mmCIF file of all heavy atoms in Angstrom:
data_model
loop_
_atom_site.group_PDB
_atom_site.id
_atom_site.type_symbol
_atom_site.label_atom_id
_atom_site.label_comp_id
_atom_site.label_asym_id
_atom_site.label_seq_id
_atom_site.Cartn_x
_atom_site.Cartn_y
_atom_site.Cartn_z
ATOM 1 N N GLN A 47 11.370 6.117 -0.329
ATOM 2 C CA GLN A 47 9.964 5.879 -0.590
ATOM 3 C C GLN A 47 9.572 4.597 0.099
ATOM 4 O O GLN A 47 10.123 3.552 -0.153
ATOM 5 C CB GLN A 47 9.714 5.756 -2.092
ATOM 6 C CG GLN A 47 8.273 5.440 -2.418
ATOM 7 C CD GLN A 47 8.144 5.128 -3.873
ATOM 8 O OE1 GLN A 47 8.784 5.745 -4.691
ATOM 9 N NE2 GLN A 47 7.324 4.177 -4.196
ATOM 10 N N ASN A 48 8.644 4.683 1.016
ATOM 11 C CA ASN A 48 8.278 3.536 1.813
ATOM 12 C C ASN A 48 7.128 2.812 1.142
ATOM 13 O O ASN A 48 6.003 3.259 1.206
ATOM 14 C CB ASN A 48 7.863 4.022 3.213
ATOM 15 C CG ASN A 48 7.660 2.865 4.151
ATOM 16 O OD1 ASN A 48 7.944 1.733 3.796
ATOM 17 N ND2 ASN A 48 7.178 3.148 5.331
ATOM 18 N N GLN A 49 7.408 1.717 0.451
ATOM 19 C CA GLN A 49 6.363 0.959 -0.229
ATOM 20 C C GLN A 49 5.563 0.227 0.819
ATOM 21 O O GLN A 49 6.052 -0.625 1.507
ATOM 22 C CB GLN A 49 6.981 -0.034 -1.209
ATOM 23 C CG GLN A 49 6.006 -0.590 -2.213
ATOM 24 C CD GLN A 49 5.198 -1.699 -1.646
ATOM 25 O OE1 GLN A 49 5.595 -2.338 -0.713
ATOM 26 N NE2 GLN A 49 4.037 -1.919 -2.207
ATOM 27 N N VAL A 50 4.227 0.556 0.915
ATOM 28 C CA VAL A 50 3.399 -0.003 1.949
ATOM 29 C C VAL A 50 2.476 -1.022 1.306
ATOM 30 O O VAL A 50 1.359 -0.732 0.939
ATOM 31 C CB VAL A 50 2.611 1.085 2.647
ATOM 32 C CG1 VAL A 50 1.798 0.532 3.780
ATOM 33 C CG2 VAL A 50 3.573 2.115 3.184
ATOM 34 N N ASN A 51 3.013 -2.275 1.195
ATOM 35 C CA ASN A 51 2.370 -3.349 0.462
ATOM 36 C C ASN A 51 1.914 -2.838 -0.883
ATOM 37 O O ASN A 51 2.737 -2.616 -1.745
ATOM 38 C CB ASN A 51 1.218 -3.934 1.271
ATOM 39 C CG ASN A 51 0.898 -5.345 0.842
ATOM 40 O OD1 ASN A 51 1.387 -5.833 -0.147
ATOM 41 N ND2 ASN A 51 0.084 -6.006 1.606
ATOM 42 N N GLU A 52 0.540 -2.615 -1.091
ATOM 43 C CA GLU A 52 0.093 -2.212 -2.405
ATOM 44 C C GLU A 52 0.036 -0.716 -2.603
ATOM 45 O O GLU A 52 -0.365 -0.247 -3.639
ATOM 46 C CB GLU A 52 -1.282 -2.786 -2.669
ATOM 47 C CG GLU A 52 -1.258 -4.187 -3.242
ATOM 48 C CD GLU A 52 -0.707 -5.204 -2.311
ATOM 49 O OE1 GLU A 52 -1.125 -5.205 -1.177
ATOM 50 O OE2 GLU A 52 0.164 -5.960 -2.724
ATOM 51 N N VAL A 53 0.470 0.147 -1.611
ATOM 52 C CA VAL A 53 0.407 1.599 -1.761
ATOM 53 C C VAL A 53 1.742 2.208 -1.391
ATOM 54 O O VAL A 53 2.286 1.919 -0.351
ATOM 55 C CB VAL A 53 -0.670 2.196 -0.840
ATOM 56 C CG1 VAL A 53 -0.625 3.695 -0.901
ATOM 57 C CG2 VAL A 53 -2.039 1.722 -1.271
ATOM 58 N N ASP A 54 2.296 3.062 -2.234
ATOM 59 C CA ASP A 54 3.559 3.725 -1.953
ATOM 60 C C ASP A 54 3.310 5.002 -1.173
ATOM 61 O O ASP A 54 2.548 5.845 -1.591
ATOM 62 C CB ASP A 54 4.278 4.103 -3.250
ATOM 63 C CG ASP A 54 4.728 2.871 -3.997
ATOM 64 O OD1 ASP A 54 5.070 1.889 -3.330
ATOM 65 O OD2 ASP A 54 4.735 2.903 -5.232
ATOM 66 N N ARG A 169 15.497 -0.846 4.442
ATOM 67 C CA ARG A 169 14.069 -0.858 4.140
ATOM 68 C C ARG A 169 13.729 -2.019 3.206
ATOM 69 O O ARG A 169 14.466 -2.309 2.271
ATOM 70 C CB ARG A 169 13.706 0.476 3.474
ATOM 71 C CG ARG A 169 12.278 0.904 3.575
ATOM 72 C CD ARG A 169 12.176 2.362 3.156
ATOM 73 N NE ARG A 169 12.880 2.601 1.910
ATOM 74 C CZ ARG A 169 12.318 2.480 0.716
ATOM 75 N NH1 ARG A 169 11.069 2.111 0.617
ATOM 76 N NH2 ARG A 169 13.019 2.738 -0.373
ATOM 77 N N THR A 171 10.313 -4.862 1.685
ATOM 78 C CA THR A 171 8.942 -5.339 1.640
ATOM 79 C C THR A 171 8.998 -6.819 1.301
ATOM 80 O O THR A 171 10.046 -7.334 0.894
ATOM 81 C CB THR A 171 8.098 -4.573 0.604
ATOM 82 O OG1 THR A 171 6.715 -4.954 0.732
ATOM 83 C CG2 THR A 171 8.568 -4.862 -0.811
ATOM 84 N N PHE A 172 7.902 -7.537 1.475
ATOM 85 C CA PHE A 172 7.922 -8.965 1.173
ATOM 86 C C PHE A 172 6.593 -9.399 0.568
ATOM 87 O O PHE A 172 5.572 -8.735 0.715
ATOM 88 C CB PHE A 172 8.225 -9.790 2.433
ATOM 89 C CG PHE A 172 7.021 -9.997 3.324
ATOM 90 C CD1 PHE A 172 6.262 -11.160 3.220
ATOM 91 C CD2 PHE A 172 6.641 -9.049 4.255
ATOM 92 C CE1 PHE A 172 5.146 -11.363 4.030
ATOM 93 C CE2 PHE A 172 5.532 -9.231 5.064
ATOM 94 C CZ PHE A 172 4.784 -10.398 4.953
ATOM 95 N N ARG A 173 6.629 -10.533 -0.124
ATOM 96 C CA ARG A 173 5.431 -11.177 -0.649
ATOM 97 C C ARG A 173 5.521 -12.674 -0.355
ATOM 98 O O ARG A 173 6.611 -13.256 -0.302
ATOM 99 C CB ARG A 173 5.294 -10.961 -2.162
ATOM 100 C CG ARG A 173 5.066 -9.504 -2.537
ATOM 101 C CD ARG A 173 3.715 -9.000 -2.047
ATOM 102 N NE ARG A 173 3.534 -7.605 -2.366
ATOM 103 C CZ ARG A 173 3.824 -6.600 -1.572
ATOM 104 N NH1 ARG A 173 4.374 -6.847 -0.393
ATOM 105 N NH2 ARG A 173 3.592 -5.357 -1.931
ATOM 106 N N TYR A 182 12.049 -8.170 -0.775
ATOM 107 C CA TYR A 182 12.771 -7.218 -1.618
ATOM 108 C C TYR A 182 13.476 -6.199 -0.748
ATOM 109 O O TYR A 182 12.846 -5.461 0.011
ATOM 110 C CB TYR A 182 11.830 -6.510 -2.592
ATOM 111 C CG TYR A 182 12.542 -5.487 -3.463
ATOM 112 C CD1 TYR A 182 13.664 -5.847 -4.200
ATOM 113 C CD2 TYR A 182 12.120 -4.161 -3.525
ATOM 114 C CE1 TYR A 182 14.340 -4.929 -4.986
ATOM 115 C CE2 TYR A 182 12.776 -3.233 -4.318
ATOM 116 C CZ TYR A 182 13.888 -3.622 -5.041
ATOM 117 O OH TYR A 182 14.561 -2.703 -5.819
ATOM 118 N N TYR A 184 15.234 -2.882 -0.692
ATOM 119 C CA TYR A 184 15.292 -1.697 -1.550
ATOM 120 C C TYR A 184 16.719 -1.183 -1.721
ATOM 121 O O TYR A 184 17.138 -0.824 -2.822
ATOM 122 C CB TYR A 184 14.429 -0.572 -0.969
ATOM 123 C CG TYR A 184 12.944 -0.782 -1.093
ATOM 124 C CD1 TYR A 184 12.214 -1.309 -0.037
ATOM 125 C CD2 TYR A 184 12.266 -0.436 -2.256
ATOM 126 C CE1 TYR A 184 10.845 -1.493 -0.130
ATOM 127 C CE2 TYR A 184 10.901 -0.611 -2.363
ATOM 128 C CZ TYR A 184 10.195 -1.143 -1.297
ATOM 129 O OH TYR A 184 8.842 -1.334 -1.404
ATOM 130 N N ASN A 187 18.840 -3.721 -3.619
ATOM 131 C CA ASN A 187 18.202 -4.079 -4.893
ATOM 132 C C ASN A 187 18.316 -5.582 -5.154
ATOM 133 O O ASN A 187 18.787 -6.030 -6.195
ATOM 134 C CB ASN A 187 18.807 -3.284 -6.047
ATOM 135 C CG ASN A 187 17.988 -3.410 -7.322
ATOM 136 O OD1 ASN A 187 16.762 -3.516 -7.287
ATOM 137 N ND2 ASN A 187 18.659 -3.420 -8.458
ATOM 138 N N ILE A 189 16.365 -9.646 -4.134
ATOM 139 C CA ILE A 189 15.221 -10.389 -3.606
ATOM 140 C C ILE A 189 15.750 -11.648 -2.930
ATOM 141 O O ILE A 189 16.449 -12.453 -3.557
ATOM 142 C CB ILE A 189 14.202 -10.729 -4.703
ATOM 143 C CG1 ILE A 189 13.539 -9.437 -5.197
ATOM 144 C CG2 ILE A 189 13.160 -11.706 -4.182
ATOM 145 C CD1 ILE A 189 12.516 -9.638 -6.293
ATOM 146 N N LEU A 204 19.067 -7.916 -8.614
ATOM 147 C CA LEU A 204 18.376 -7.414 -9.790
ATOM 148 C C LEU A 204 19.310 -6.470 -10.553
ATOM 149 O O LEU A 204 19.783 -5.475 -10.001
ATOM 150 C CB LEU A 204 17.092 -6.693 -9.381
ATOM 151 C CG LEU A 204 16.120 -7.519 -8.514
ATOM 152 C CD1 LEU A 204 14.839 -6.745 -8.270
ATOM 153 C CD2 LEU A 204 15.837 -8.875 -9.120
ATOM 154 N N PRO A 208 17.150 0.367 -8.852
ATOM 155 C CA PRO A 208 16.160 -0.193 -7.923
ATOM 156 C C PRO A 208 14.729 0.195 -8.298
ATOM 157 O O PRO A 208 14.506 1.073 -9.119
ATOM 158 C CB PRO A 208 16.567 0.407 -6.570
ATOM 159 C CG PRO A 208 17.215 1.706 -6.933
ATOM 160 C CD PRO A 208 17.928 1.457 -8.227
ATOM 161 N N TYR A 209 13.788 -0.490 -7.635
ATOM 162 C CA TYR A 209 12.374 -0.306 -7.943
ATOM 163 C C TYR A 209 11.657 0.346 -6.769
ATOM 164 O O TYR A 209 12.132 0.325 -5.640
ATOM 165 C CB TYR A 209 11.743 -1.654 -8.296
ATOM 166 C CG TYR A 209 12.397 -2.289 -9.505
ATOM 167 C CD1 TYR A 209 13.427 -3.224 -9.348
ATOM 168 C CD2 TYR A 209 12.032 -1.918 -10.791
ATOM 169 C CE1 TYR A 209 14.061 -3.780 -10.446
ATOM 170 C CE2 TYR A 209 12.654 -2.469 -11.899
ATOM 171 C CZ TYR A 209 13.666 -3.400 -11.726
ATOM 172 O OH TYR A 209 14.300 -3.938 -12.823
ATOM 173 N N ASN A 210 10.505 0.926 -7.080
ATOM 174 C CA ASN A 210 9.735 1.634 -6.056
ATOM 175 C C ASN A 210 8.647 0.778 -5.428
ATOM 176 O O ASN A 210 7.977 1.210 -4.498
ATOM 177 C CB ASN A 210 9.098 2.892 -6.656
ATOM 178 C CG ASN A 210 10.140 3.823 -7.250
ATOM 179 O OD1 ASN A 210 10.345 3.868 -8.454
ATOM 180 N ND2 ASN A 210 10.821 4.559 -6.397
ATOM 181 N N GLY A 211 8.455 -0.422 -5.953
ATOM 182 C CA GLY A 211 7.461 -1.311 -5.393
ATOM 183 C C GLY A 211 7.630 -2.722 -5.930
ATOM 184 O O GLY A 211 8.031 -2.914 -7.082
ATOM 185 N N PHE A 212 7.363 -3.714 -5.091
ATOM 186 C CA PHE A 212 7.425 -5.129 -5.468
ATOM 187 C C PHE A 212 6.101 -5.751 -5.067
ATOM 188 O O PHE A 212 5.699 -5.691 -3.909
ATOM 189 C CB PHE A 212 8.597 -5.808 -4.759
ATOM 190 C CG PHE A 212 8.577 -7.313 -4.821
ATOM 191 C CD1 PHE A 212 8.486 -7.972 -6.035
ATOM 192 C CD2 PHE A 212 8.669 -8.075 -3.662
ATOM 193 C CE1 PHE A 212 8.466 -9.353 -6.092
ATOM 194 C CE2 PHE A 212 8.659 -9.452 -3.705
ATOM 195 C CZ PHE A 212 8.559 -10.094 -4.927
ATOM 196 N N TYR A 213 5.395 -6.384 -6.033
ATOM 197 C CA TYR A 213 4.025 -6.833 -5.794
ATOM 198 C C TYR A 213 3.851 -8.341 -5.790
ATOM 199 O O TYR A 213 2.758 -8.826 -5.514
ATOM 200 C CB TYR A 213 3.092 -6.202 -6.827
ATOM 201 C CG TYR A 213 3.169 -4.703 -6.794
ATOM 202 C CD1 TYR A 213 3.688 -3.983 -7.860
ATOM 203 C CD2 TYR A 213 2.778 -3.999 -5.656
ATOM 204 C CE1 TYR A 213 3.797 -2.602 -7.800
ATOM 205 C CE2 TYR A 213 2.886 -2.621 -5.592
ATOM 206 C CZ TYR A 213 3.397 -1.935 -6.668
ATOM 207 O OH TYR A 213 3.523 -0.571 -6.605
ATOM 208 N N GLY A 214 4.889 -9.103 -6.123
ATOM 209 C CA GLY A 214 4.765 -10.545 -6.092
ATOM 210 C C GLY A 214 5.271 -11.177 -7.368
ATOM 211 O O GLY A 214 6.070 -10.593 -8.108
ATOM 212 N N PHE A 220 9.136 -11.545 -11.478
ATOM 213 C CA PHE A 220 8.800 -10.669 -10.372
ATOM 214 C C PHE A 220 8.074 -9.451 -10.949
ATOM 215 O O PHE A 220 8.445 -8.951 -12.013
ATOM 216 C CB PHE A 220 10.059 -10.190 -9.637
ATOM 217 C CG PHE A 220 10.887 -11.289 -9.043
ATOM 218 C CD1 PHE A 220 12.201 -11.496 -9.455
ATOM 219 C CD2 PHE A 220 10.364 -12.122 -8.062
ATOM 220 C CE1 PHE A 220 12.982 -12.501 -8.908
ATOM 221 C CE2 PHE A 220 11.136 -13.143 -7.502
ATOM 222 C CZ PHE A 220 12.447 -13.332 -7.929
ATOM 223 N N VAL A 221 7.055 -8.985 -10.249
ATOM 224 C CA VAL A 221 6.281 -7.825 -10.702
ATOM 225 C C VAL A 221 6.692 -6.612 -9.865
ATOM 226 O O VAL A 221 6.558 -6.617 -8.645
ATOM 227 C CB VAL A 221 4.765 -8.066 -10.562
ATOM 228 C CG1 VAL A 221 3.980 -6.867 -11.096
ATOM 229 C CG2 VAL A 221 4.359 -9.345 -11.287
ATOM 230 N N CYS A 222 7.199 -5.578 -10.539
ATOM 231 C CA CYS A 222 7.687 -4.380 -9.848
ATOM 232 C C CYS A 222 7.168 -3.127 -10.544
ATOM 233 O O CYS A 222 6.652 -3.182 -11.663
ATOM 234 C CB CYS A 222 9.214 -4.345 -9.833
ATOM 235 S SG CYS A 222 9.999 -5.712 -8.936
ATOM 236 N N VAL A 223 7.334 -1.998 -9.879
ATOM 237 C CA VAL A 223 7.041 -0.703 -10.494
ATOM 238 C C VAL A 223 8.270 0.188 -10.346
ATOM 239 O O VAL A 223 8.974 0.147 -9.322
ATOM 240 C CB VAL A 223 5.804 -0.024 -9.867
ATOM 241 C CG1 VAL A 223 6.043 0.324 -8.397
ATOM 242 C CG2 VAL A 223 5.418 1.225 -10.653
ATOM 243 N N LYS A 224 8.543 0.951 -11.397
ATOM 244 C CA LYS A 224 9.648 1.900 -11.386
ATOM 245 C C LYS A 224 9.097 3.275 -11.715
ATOM 246 O O LYS A 224 8.437 3.467 -12.743
ATOM 247 C CB LYS A 224 10.697 1.497 -12.432
ATOM 248 C CG LYS A 224 11.838 2.496 -12.603
ATOM 249 C CD LYS A 224 12.757 2.518 -11.404
ATOM 250 C CE LYS A 224 13.972 3.421 -11.660
ATOM 251 N NZ LYS A 224 14.879 3.437 -10.483
ATOM 252 N N ARG A 225 9.354 4.251 -10.844
ATOM 253 C CA ARG A 225 8.939 5.621 -11.104
ATOM 254 C C ARG A 225 10.076 6.396 -11.746
ATOM 255 O O ARG A 225 11.231 6.263 -11.339
ATOM 256 C CB ARG A 225 8.518 6.313 -9.816
ATOM 257 C CG ARG A 225 7.152 5.878 -9.318
ATOM 258 C CD ARG A 225 6.583 6.939 -8.383
ATOM 259 N NE ARG A 225 5.264 6.564 -7.942
ATOM 260 C CZ ARG A 225 5.002 5.933 -6.802
ATOM 261 N NH1 ARG A 225 6.003 5.631 -5.994
ATOM 262 N NH2 ARG A 225 3.769 5.621 -6.460
ATOM 263 N N PHE A 243 6.135 2.809 -14.315
ATOM 264 C CA PHE A 243 6.337 1.744 -15.293
ATOM 265 C C PHE A 243 6.241 0.372 -14.611
ATOM 266 O O PHE A 243 7.021 0.079 -13.703
ATOM 267 C CB PHE A 243 7.697 1.903 -15.959
ATOM 268 C CG PHE A 243 7.833 3.160 -16.769
ATOM 269 C CD1 PHE A 243 8.293 4.332 -16.177
ATOM 270 C CD2 PHE A 243 7.480 3.183 -18.111
ATOM 271 C CE1 PHE A 243 8.416 5.502 -16.917
ATOM 272 C CE2 PHE A 243 7.605 4.349 -18.863
ATOM 273 C CZ PHE A 243 8.067 5.514 -18.262
ATOM 274 N N ILE A 244 5.280 -0.424 -15.054
ATOM 275 C CA ILE A 244 5.141 -1.784 -14.548
ATOM 276 C C ILE A 244 6.140 -2.652 -15.306
ATOM 277 O O ILE A 244 6.134 -2.706 -16.532
ATOM 278 C CB ILE A 244 3.716 -2.320 -14.746
ATOM 279 C CG1 ILE A 244 2.695 -1.350 -14.125
ATOM 280 C CG2 ILE A 244 3.591 -3.716 -14.141
ATOM 281 C CD1 ILE A 244 2.899 -1.105 -12.645
ATOM 282 N N ARG A 245 6.995 -3.347 -14.562
ATOM 283 C CA ARG A 245 8.047 -4.134 -15.180
ATOM 284 C C ARG A 245 8.081 -5.553 -14.626
ATOM 285 O O ARG A 245 7.871 -5.765 -13.424
ATOM 286 C CB ARG A 245 9.396 -3.440 -14.982
ATOM 287 C CG ARG A 245 9.468 -2.117 -15.738
ATOM 288 C CD ARG A 245 10.742 -1.369 -15.540
ATOM 289 N NE ARG A 245 10.775 -0.162 -16.368
ATOM 290 C CZ ARG A 245 11.723 0.762 -16.308
ATOM 291 N NH1 ARG A 245 12.716 0.610 -15.468
ATOM 292 N NH2 ARG A 245 11.673 1.836 -17.085
ATOM 293 N N ILE A 247 10.479 -8.801 -14.124
ATOM 294 C CA ILE A 247 11.895 -9.136 -14.036
ATOM 295 C C ILE A 247 12.033 -10.651 -13.959
ATOM 296 O O ILE A 247 11.318 -11.313 -13.186
ATOM 297 C CB ILE A 247 12.551 -8.477 -12.802
ATOM 298 C CG1 ILE A 247 12.510 -6.940 -12.942
ATOM 299 C CG2 ILE A 247 13.986 -8.915 -12.636
ATOM 300 C CD1 ILE A 247 11.307 -6.304 -12.345
ATOM 301 N N TRP A 277 -1.083 6.040 -5.464
ATOM 302 C CA TRP A 277 -0.616 4.866 -6.192
ATOM 303 C C TRP A 277 -0.943 3.645 -5.349
ATOM 304 O O TRP A 277 -0.362 3.410 -4.295
ATOM 305 C CB TRP A 277 0.880 4.919 -6.473
ATOM 306 C CG TRP A 277 1.329 3.661 -7.158
ATOM 307 C CD1 TRP A 277 2.003 2.600 -6.602
ATOM 308 C CD2 TRP A 277 1.086 3.300 -8.522
ATOM 309 N NE1 TRP A 277 2.200 1.618 -7.522
ATOM 310 C CE2 TRP A 277 1.653 2.023 -8.722
ATOM 311 C CE3 TRP A 277 0.450 3.933 -9.589
ATOM 312 C CZ2 TRP A 277 1.594 1.357 -9.950
ATOM 313 C CZ3 TRP A 277 0.404 3.278 -10.810
ATOM 314 C CH2 TRP A 277 0.965 2.010 -10.982
ATOM 315 N N ALA A 279 -1.612 -0.570 -5.899
ATOM 316 C CA ALA A 279 -1.550 -1.693 -6.833
ATOM 317 C C ALA A 279 -1.688 -3.002 -6.075
ATOM 318 O O ALA A 279 -1.076 -3.185 -5.017
ATOM 319 C CB ALA A 279 -0.243 -1.670 -7.625
ATOM 320 N N LEU A 288 -3.037 -7.037 -12.492
ATOM 321 C CA LEU A 288 -2.652 -6.042 -11.507
ATOM 322 C C LEU A 288 -3.758 -5.007 -11.444
ATOM 323 O O LEU A 288 -4.096 -4.379 -12.451
ATOM 324 C CB LEU A 288 -1.327 -5.386 -11.894
ATOM 325 C CG LEU A 288 -0.665 -4.525 -10.811
ATOM 326 C CD1 LEU A 288 -0.155 -5.406 -9.669
ATOM 327 C CD2 LEU A 288 0.490 -3.715 -11.388
#
Side-chain angles (χ1 to χ4, degrees):
Q47 177 189 322
N48 188 7
Q49 196 279 336
V50 183
N51 203 350
E52 273 65 48
V53 174
D54 293 327
R169 204 167 48 89
T171 188
F172 80 96
R173 294 293 178 267
Y182 179 53
Y184 287 97
N187 192 34
I189 292 180
L204 305 185
Y209 300 95
N210 302 101
F212 167 54
Y213 303 113
F220 300 119
V221 182
C222 297
V223 64
K224 174 70 174 180
R225 284 201 178 95
F243 296 89
I244 306 302
R245 294 178 176 173
I247 296 91
W277 177 257
L288 192 69

